[in-house]
Amino acid sequence: MTLPRKIRLGDLLVEKKIISSHQLELALAEQKKSGRKLGQVLVDTGSLTQDSLLSFLSEQLNVPFVELAHYQFEPDTVKLVPEVHARRFRVVALKQRGQVLQVGMADPTNFFAYDELTRITHRTIEIAVVRENELLEVLDRVYRQGDQISGLAEQLSDELKESDFDVDQLAAGADLSEAPVVKLLHSLFQDAVQIKASDIHIEPDDAVLRIRMRVDGVLREQVLGERRIASALVQRLKLMSNLDIAEKRLPQDGRFSIRVSDRNIDVRIATMPLQTGEAVVMRLLDQSEGVRDLAQLGMPPALLARLTHALKRPHGLVVVTGPTGSGKTSTLYSALKFLNEPQVKIVTVEDPVEYRLARVNQVQVNSQIGLSFARVLRTTLRLDPDVVLIGEMRDQETVEIGLRAAMTGHLVLSTLHTNDAIGSVSRLMDMGAEGYLLASSLRLVLAQRLVRCLCTSCAAPHELEPAERAWVQQRLGPEAAAASFQAGRGCHRCNNTGYRGRMGVYEMLEVDAPMADALTRGDGLEFARLARASKTYRTLDRLALDYAVEGRTTVSEALRLAADGEFGLEVDDLDASGAPTVATPRRNAA
């Protein structure tokens, strides 16, 4: 059947005893008030589930029900329905056979949509029923801005060739809404938001312009042949972030805010002069999502309880450590949200201030005018704070002020860049922190990383490679025999990567009395030995491996963290079958 037939949905549902007459009356009354479709009202009020409604429509209309979560889309087929119509009618093209086009519809009784699709595509339409929530997610993924970006780049390049004015005039043109450079940047940001990219990299090469977006920690590349448009893009971005457009020899940093797809995006921009031109990296912060609660970080309950206990203490130093992009700032802001109460005075010293928090006194460091971390901190302690957040401990003076503040009745939160929790203590001592200050001030160190989550739509049992199996046997011991693992096969929901989203992996170290004694003596090696022997200390890669056993990520993701952990395997440690040949693992130099 190709043409949908009109059905009286409510009467049929009552006739089939799926809902009662009373439920139908209540739904019809709500429909008159809200104007929503009857089926959606019934689902929203709990009279029936979305799946039971769609199964009923599929049976009554004699059309198939298609699961979009596992559907493999063909880009050429999808584009037969323009994006504007796909979003308007809640429809996606599934497959074509000659002049017949099968489309998935959230509302298969929509006659107007059927007629319009027939007219637009010049094909005979066959209908399939799909879930609306899956459909909306699919539309964001299949209608990428790649073609539009390439088209606008070509248009901008042609304008540069034909016009007599220079790049500076083009970037700062009067009619900004129609300027190709503005349209191109808008498409870039729109594409980045659709695929949930955290960063946009604009990199001019000798002959091409590379635009790369980081999604779930991995860069995806689009290459544009219009190399000469790079200057126009950089100039426009500099104008947006109030940077010096005449300075092309030195790096610059700035920020600006934009609104894309009804979301407020804060953009941090950094420029760098290369041999081939100026490169730009933009970090995207979605302000509309706000700051998460601590419980939403995905931290294991035992670790979360220990962290909240440390945050409730009236004084001491809590350090969050990890490389750039590991989620340190998100964790600290969640901690501030947990502490943010009317009776608590919180002062933060940051570079830059990433999220605005009500009731929190946030200070932006500005080294150009002498407003350094150390200078602000000295003044901060005169403001009678209960909690002080130091964006990053970078030098001896900052470390010393922070430690003394933690000793004198303040709770101090800060970040470091180290590989693990134990290494943060060595780092603080390298920066000149006295052992007795660390012993009396340091309460807890939280190291963290982000690992990619296994895509639930295409996850399947996975046979480990020999090296992976050997590492798992080393870490799990006898438990390895009973463990089973999964990997993603790749689908449209994960862009054929097998991963979708990221989650935090945490390593927590609490300083107890024996560790404090070792710090007082300045014995870093003894401190590290005691820390590793602690019953509550678990390494990053071991927690990631636990997640792999639970089916939340893969062994290869856990193995990525092993290089930063305490132990690893040499290639020579494997025999021909891939099993370990040594009983004692080596210790990494790191």
Side-chain angles (χ1 to χ4, degrees):
M1 190 205 77
T2 58
L3 180 66
R5 58 187 176 86
K6 188 173 180 61
I7 63 173
R8 293 181 61 83
L9 178 62
D11 293 340
L12 282 174
L13 288 170
V14 173
E15 180 184 332
K16 299 292 184 181
K17 298 182 179 180
I18 297 175
I19 63 172
S20 66
S21 299
H22 179 63
Q23 287 176 317
L24 176 59
E25 290 174 5
L26 292 176
L28 289 172
E30 176 62 27
Q31 184 189 27
K32 288 181 180 179
K33 293 179 184 178
S34 63
R36 291 177 295 163
K37 294 182 181 295
L38 178 61
Q40 189 60 48
V41 172
L42 289 168
V43 172
D44 291 343
T45 56
S47 299
L48 75 170
T49 64
Q50 184 183 48
D51 280 5
S52 60
L53 173 62
L54 294 179
S55 298
F56 175 78
L57 288 172
S58 174
E59 180 182 345
Q60 292 298 314
L61 296 173
N62 192 27
V63 297
F65 174 69
V66 176
E67 294 267 3
L68 293 182
H70 305 286
Y71 198 87
Q72 295 294 329
F73 291 90
E74 298 179 1
D76 292 338
T77 301
V78 168
K79 292 174 184 176
L80 292 175
V81 179
E83 181 180 2
V84 62
H85 298 293
R87 294 188 181 276
R88 178 186 177 190
F89 299 130
R90 297 290 198 269
V91 61
V92 63
L94 299 175
K95 61 183 177 182
Q96 62 172 330
R97 302 185 308 275
Q99 288 299 306
V100 178
L101 178 65
Q102 185 186 50
V103 298
M105 296 183 68
D107 179 12
T109 64
N110 190 334
F111 291 95
F112 180 73
Y114 177 89
D115 292 338
E116 281 295 292
L117 290 171
T118 303
R119 182 184 64 82
I120 293 166
T121 63
H122 304 290
R123 286 171 171 79
T124 302
I125 300 298
E126 282 188 354
I127 292 175
V129 184
V130 298
R131 296 187 185 94
E132 185 169 10
N133 60 329
E134 289 184 348
L135 174 64
L136 294 176
E137 186 178 333
V138 164
L139 294 181
D140 284 340
R141 295 186 179 278
V142 298
Y143 287 103
R144 291 284 307 278
Q145 303 291 317
D147 292 341
Q148 185 175 356
I149 291 171
S150 298
L152 288 169
E154 186 175 347
Q155 179 184 347
L156 178 57
S157 180
D158 291 341
E159 192 160 332
L160 287 171
K161 293 175 184 175
E162 296 172 2
S163 60
D164 294 329
F165 51 82
D166 62 11
V167 171
D168 292 358
Q169 291 174 323
L170 180 62
D175 191 4
L176 293 179
S177 62
E178 296 301 321
V181 65
V182 176
K183 290 182 178 180
L184 177 55
L185 285 174
H186 182 267
S187 295
L188 276 178
F189 286 122
Q190 198 169 34
D191 191 39
V193 170
Q194 279 188 200
I195 63 176
K196 298 181 180 179
S198 60
D199 302 84
I200 301 176
H201 298 239
I202 299 176
E203 302 168 341
D205 212 331
D206 286 326
V208 297
L209 175 63
R210 301 183 190 279
I211 296 179
R212 300 197 280 178
M213 299 188 185
R214 191 176 296 279
V215 181
D216 293 339
V218 179
L219 287 171
R220 301 181 186 176
E221 183 177 74
Q222 180 175 0
V223 179
L224 302 178
E226 293 74 21
R227 160 70 177 78
R228 58 182 292 149
I229 70 172
S231 296
L233 289 177
V234 174
Q235 295 279 36
R236 180 61 198 157
L237 289 168
K238 283 184 176 181
L239 286 170
M240 294 169 67
S241 46
N242 294 318
L243 300 180
D244 184 357
I245 62 173
E247 180 57 74
K248 301 179 181 180
R249 300 167 300 171
L250 297 174
Q252 297 187 66
D253 297 313
R255 68 189 303 166
F256 59 90
S257 296
I258 57 172
R259 188 166 179 81
V260 181
S261 302
D262 296 326
R263 296 183 180 182
N264 293 318
I265 307 296
D266 195 22
V267 183
R268 287 165 47 188
I269 178 174
T271 69
M272 176 66 71
L274 306 178
Q275 287 288 82
T276 52
E278 281 186 282
V280 173
V281 176
M282 292 177 283
R283 170 68 55 87
L284 309 183
L285 301 172
D286 192 345
Q287 298 288 345
S288 59
E289 292 185 355
V291 178
R292 297 181 183 180
D293 294 328
L294 280 174
Q296 295 176 317
L297 294 179
M299 194 176 296
L303 295 186
L304 180 61
R306 291 160 59 193
L307 176 60
T308 54
H309 175 72
L311 294 175
K312 288 177 181 177
R313 300 181 71 169
H315 57 84
L317 173 63
V318 176
V319 175
V320 181
T321 184
T324 301
S326 60
K328 301 186 299 297
T329 302
S330 297
T331 299
L332 281 182
Y333 272 97
S334 295
L336 289 182
K337 186 176 181 180
F338 172 78
L339 296 166
N340 191 6
E341 296 177 351
Q343 63 270 28
V344 179
K345 174 69 175 273
I346 302 176
V347 180
T348 73
V349 187
E350 306 172 67
D351 183 22
V353 175
E354 296 192 3
Y355 293 96
R356 276 73 172 181
L357 296 175
R359 204 188 292 117
V360 176
N361 297 187
Q362 296 175 271
V363 181
Q364 167 77 56
V365 170
N366 188 346
S367 57
Q368 294 181 353
I369 61 172
L371 195 64
S372 63
F373 274 100
R375 184 169 184 177
V376 175
L377 278 174
R378 283 192 294 269
T379 305
T380 294
L381 298 181
R382 303 191 194 109
L383 301 180
D384 188 30
D386 299 295
V387 179
V388 178
L389 182 143
I390 306 172
E392 182 184 351
M393 288 187 165
R394 301 183 177 183
D395 52 47
Q396 181 177 358
E397 189 175 10
T398 304
V399 170
E400 225 173 272
I401 295 173
L403 288 173
R404 293 191 182 277
M407 284 181 61
T408 55
H410 304 87
L411 177 63
V412 179
L413 311 179
S414 190
T415 68
L416 279 173
H417 287 82
T418 59
N419 288 331
D420 56 17
I422 297 175
S424 62
V425 174
S426 301
R427 173 70 175 142
L428 288 170
M429 296 179 78
D430 288 343
M431 285 193 291
E434 296 290 344
Y436 74 92
L437 284 178
L438 285 173
S440 57
S441 303
L442 186 61
R443 296 286 179 265
L444 180 144
V445 181
L446 179 70
Q448 68 179 75
R449 295 288 194 282
L450 295 176
V451 296
R452 291 182 290 175
C453 299
L454 187 63
C455 177
T456 56
S457 298
C458 61
H462 173 65
E463 185 67 28
L464 299 182
E465 298 291 334
E468 293 176 333
R469 185 168 61 251
W471 181 73
V472 169
Q473 290 173 355
Q474 179 201 43
R475 300 301 277 166
L476 294 183
E479 300 175 20
S484 60
F485 302 96
Q486 293 184 315
R489 295 170 297 182
C491 65
H492 77 91
R493 298 189 73 179
C494 61
N495 199 34
N496 293 317
T497 62
Y499 298 97
R500 188 162 176 254
R502 288 190 293 177
M503 61 182 174
V505 179
Y506 304 93
E507 174 182 295
M508 188 173 290
L509 174 63
E510 291 177 283
V511 179
D512 57 19
M515 294 182 203
D517 289 340
L519 288 176
T520 302
R521 299 192 304 270
D523 192 344
L525 290 176
E526 176 65 9
F527 172 84
R529 188 192 68 78
L530 292 170
R532 292 190 182 96
S534 173
K535 293 181 180 179
T536 59
Y537 179 73
R538 301 188 75 189
T539 59
L540 288 161
D541 59 313
R542 178 55 202 266
L543 181 57
L545 183 54
D546 290 343
Y547 286 161
V549 172
E550 295 170 9
R552 300 172 63 184
T553 188
T554 62
V555 171
S556 60
E557 280 293 288
L559 197 53
R560 280 200 307 116
L561 302 183
D564 294 333
E566 178 187 358
F567 296 108
L569 285 174
E570 297 281 9
V571 176
D572 294 341
D573 295 337
L574 307 181
D575 62 19
S577 66
T581 60
V582 291
T584 305
R586 65 172 174 82
R587 188 183 303 275
N588 281 339

